[in-house]
Amino acid sequence: MRGLLLFLLLFGLFPAFSQSALDIRLDGSEKGKSLSTYLTDLEKGHPVKFYFLNDWIDHLTLTENLSGITLREALDELFKGSELNYLEINEHTIALVKDPAHAIQHDAMLVVAQRAHKKIDKVIIGSQSDALGRRQVTIRGTLTENKTKNPLVGAAVIATDIPLGTITDSEGRFELRVPSGAHVITFTYVNFEEKVIDLEIYKDGVVNQQLEEVPTVLEEVVIQDMTGREITTSGIGTTSLSMKAIKRAPAMLGEVDLIKQIQTLPGVTTTGEAASGYNVRGGSVDQNLILYDGLPVFNSSHVFGFFSAFNAEAIRDVTFYRGGIPAEFGGRISSVLDIRSKEGDRERWGVSGGIGIISSNLMVHGPIIKNKTTIAASFRTTYSDWLINTIQSNYVDLRNSSVTFND
């Protein structure tokens, strides 16, 4: 095999070709032909050369209509689950090789990652003796941010040499089932540095990773005045709200109110100045589902709608669905407000809070058992009775009333 590759490198040179031979698109004329016959026909009509042993591919026939896809995609489909692979010497020289462990492709991907200056870690789970009689193994793990240790939701976890991938769930967890052996695993997330793992796995194992947030440097940034743009990031029927931006928005007496911010979105109207809840595109209040960590909340406010029932210090992220509601949120036809609370830091204790005109709040979080079990507790109380006492009214009972709550 080494002699064949050396021969290809030294003598498999052609005049410049505008595209790779693997990017040639099939036109349907290949249907019914054997792979060796089709590759020979390509050599006659294009300045390309394929090197292979007939014994390896005699049994492969292009039986389906593959018109419109590239030769690369066709070979990937034909070679799936076999020991065959292709090696691209240059744009016009392709060698078909037997690579039982996909070692060539594995090493090539690591070289590409090194040239791109990506972080590459070596991880070994088990030994080759553990792989006896075991063709498939399962990788599990959690993907978190390296500073805050918050889970990264929707991050991509891909075994690039197979290829096979998945995304992390709402807790940052993932699970991937791959053949035992060596693999190149990549972890990617928007605005975070991509991480690559050179993984050797022979039994089920856990791979926990932390990604580092990196700034994306742009050549030019144009800023335009678009009201509310910094508060929300919208998709089709879905809006993700940033709690940091919501805290900067105007609030009554300094009280951050998530529901009031929801009412400023397109298609959402208030049910009244002194009433809690909201209507979405003509629907009624009882057609909206509000979830806090998966639990339904039936009353989203205190004191007749003047105060929010949610402590802003304890909220991690908020997703508002006003169309195209996922099936997991069954039972409502207008909208879903999915609120996720903060989790405790796995390594150290932290405290945050605030003192306002009519209320104060406190958030305490930290590890009970380091890196295993955490606790997060939030407290809020109000001392708003002084507002009632300052109101000039003929109703004597009003000044003797009390309006307080504790969360």
Side-chain angles (χ1 to χ4, degrees):
M1 179 59 69
R2 290 182 179 176
L4 172 61
L5 294 179
L6 181 60
F7 173 79
L8 295 177
L9 290 172
L10 294 177
F11 302 103
L13 301 177
F14 278 82
F17 185 46
S18 60
Q19 64 174 351
S20 171
L22 295 175
D23 294 327
I24 297 174
R25 292 196 175 274
L26 283 62
D27 57 8
S29 61
E30 73 286 342
K31 185 176 181 180
K33 293 182 180 180
S34 65
L35 180 59
S36 59
T37 301
Y38 177 67
L39 296 181
T40 302
D41 292 343
L42 281 182
E43 291 178 342
K44 296 177 181 178
H46 299 82
V48 297
K49 184 64 178 178
F50 297 93
Y51 293 90
F52 56 86
L53 294 179
N54 287 325
D55 293 341
W56 292 355
I57 63 173
D58 276 345
H59 63 288
L60 297 177
T61 304
L62 302 169
T63 56
E64 299 181 1
N65 185 5
L66 304 177
S67 177
I69 70 171
T70 63
L71 178 59
R72 188 190 307 273
E73 295 169 333
L75 292 179
D76 287 340
E77 185 65 27
L78 285 173
F79 294 165
K80 185 182 295 183
S82 70
E83 297 181 351
L84 291 174
N85 204 345
Y86 55 84
L87 182 63
E88 189 174 4
I89 306 301
N90 52 47
E91 290 84 356
H92 39 260
T93 308
I94 310 298
L96 304 187
V97 297
K98 273 198 172 183
D99 181 20
H102 296 280
I104 295 175
Q105 189 175 11
H106 174 272
D107 293 342
M109 289 180 176
L110 290 179
V111 170
V112 172
Q114 289 173 351
R115 290 176 179 174
H117 303 289
K118 297 178 181 178
K119 290 184 178 180
I120 303 177
D121 294 337
K122 179 70 175 181
V123 177
I124 301 176
I125 300 177
S127 60
Q128 293 186 0
S129 60
D130 297 322
L132 297 177
R134 181 190 287 258
R135 299 184 61 184
Q136 297 284 328
V137 293
T138 300
I139 309 169
R140 296 182 179 89
T142 303
L143 205 58
T144 57
E145 185 180 351
N146 69 330
K147 292 182 179 179
T148 64
K149 304 301 182 295
N150 286 333
L152 297 179
V153 181
V157 181
I158 303 175
T160 53
D161 57 317
I162 302 180
L164 184 68
T166 185
I167 60 174
T168 56
D169 61 14
S170 60
E171 303 298 328
R173 296 187 295 252
F174 67 89
E175 181 175 314
L176 195 62
R177 191 160 179 81
V178 298
S180 61
H183 299 282
V184 178
I185 310 296
T186 61
F187 301 89
T188 58
Y189 193 67
V190 177
N191 290 335
F192 282 76
E193 185 176 9
E194 180 177 334
K195 196 167 187 180
V196 179
I197 289 183
D198 181 10
L199 176 66
E200 289 187 29
I201 182 168
Y202 303 100
K203 64 178 182 179
D204 296 348
V206 177
V207 179
N208 296 323
Q209 291 296 314
Q210 297 179 0
L211 297 188
E212 181 180 354
E213 187 174 8
V214 293
T216 301
V217 181
L218 304 177
E219 294 182 359
E220 182 179 3
V221 176
V222 179
I223 300 177
Q224 297 179 343
D225 182 15
M226 298 181 67
T227 304
R229 188 68 173 179
E230 65 174 3
I231 296 180
T232 63
T233 301
S234 300
I236 299 177
T238 304
T239 302
S240 298
L241 288 89
S242 167
M243 291 306 302
K244 182 183 295 185
I246 287 177
K247 289 179 181 179
R248 296 200 302 264
M252 185 185 73
L253 298 177
E255 289 296 306
V256 178
D257 193 334
L258 174 62
I259 301 301
K260 296 297 182 185
Q261 296 301 324
I262 292 293
Q263 293 173 357
T264 65
L265 298 178
V268 183
T269 60
T270 178
T271 56
E273 291 299 330
S276 62
Y278 51 90
N279 299 328
V280 178
R281 291 174 178 164
S284 59
V285 176
D286 60 351
Q287 293 173 347
N288 303 316
L289 175 63
I290 301 177
L291 297 175
Y292 192 88
D293 284 339
L295 300 177
V297 177
F298 299 102
N299 191 355
S300 60
S301 65
H302 294 304
V303 193
F304 312 110
F306 286 106
F307 300 100
S308 172
F310 307 108
N311 185 354
E313 291 293 333
I315 297 176
R316 185 184 75 194
D317 56 66
V318 179
T319 305
F320 182 56
Y321 302 90
R322 59 187 170 198
I325 301 174
E328 60 185 290
F329 302 121
R332 295 297 188 277
I333 60 176
S334 280
S335 70
V336 173
L337 181 62
D338 187 19
I339 305 171
R340 293 289 176 176
S341 64
K342 292 180 180 177
E343 296 182 356
D345 195 303
R346 294 178 178 271
E347 295 185 355
R348 57 183 179 272
W349 286 90
V351 179
S352 62
I355 299 176
I357 299 175
I358 56 176
S359 69
S360 296
N361 61 78
L362 181 68
M363 173 77 176
V364 180
H365 61 92
I368 297 178
I369 302 176
K370 193 171 183 179
N371 294 324
K372 287 187 177 181
T373 307
T374 66
I375 184 173
S378 65
F379 310 91
R380 187 169 61 144
T381 186
T382 184
Y383 32 82
S384 56
D385 287 349
W386 66 271
L387 284 177
I388 299 296
N389 297 330
T390 59
I391 296 176
Q392 299 296 328
S393 174
N394 294 327
Y395 297 97
V396 179
D397 293 339
L398 183 61
R399 293 191 177 186
N400 297 328
S401 301
S402 176
V403 180
T404 60
F405 63 86
N406 298 282
D407 290 336

